[in-house]
Amino acid sequence: MNRDKHLPLTETVYYILLALAQPAHGYLIMQKVEGLSLGQVRMAAGTLYGAIDNLVKLKWIEPAASADSRRKVYAITNKGRDMLELDFKRMNHMINVTKEIMPLD
């Protein structure tokens, strides 16, 4: 099986894509990422918007309609979901193999 050149996803990108399971604006994305990662991943606005620009270029996320014209809202695309799923499966395989070889708590 050939692995996509974008894998593995960085932890930040993984959490951004996961946070966009429901459309969200930048500040909400930052809050969701911090919550999902149990505070392990915290982003400055510049880091987030750099990542958003890159993910839009890759067509993994896209602007979404918003009732508030002051905030840009983004949503994950099918391509973004596919990449998230591929990385999830990759990590899940690593976990399962590790459990088989070296059982850990």
Side-chain angles (χ1 to χ4, degrees), residues 21-89:
Q22 297 295 320
H25 57 80
Y27 183 67
L28 183 56
I29 295 169
M30 289 193 303
Q31 289 180 312
K32 285 183 172 186
V33 166
E34 188 171 337
L36 291 167
S37 70
L38 301 176
Q40 297 295 308
V41 177
R42 294 181 183 174
M43 292 179 291
T47 302
L48 173 66
Y49 287 105
I52 285 174
D53 287 343
N54 188 45
L55 294 171
V56 169
K57 287 176 188 170
L58 289 168
K59 299 186 189 306
W60 293 4
I61 67 172
E62 62 190 4
S66 171
D68 185 349
S69 62
R70 296 173 297 154
R71 292 184 170 163
K72 288 187 179 180
V73 173
Y74 298 92
I76 192 169
T77 63
N78 288 336
K79 189 173 182 181
R81 284 185 194 279
D82 291 346
M83 293 306 298
L84 188 62
E85 183 178 356
L86 283 172
D87 207 36
F88 170 77
K89 287 179 178 178

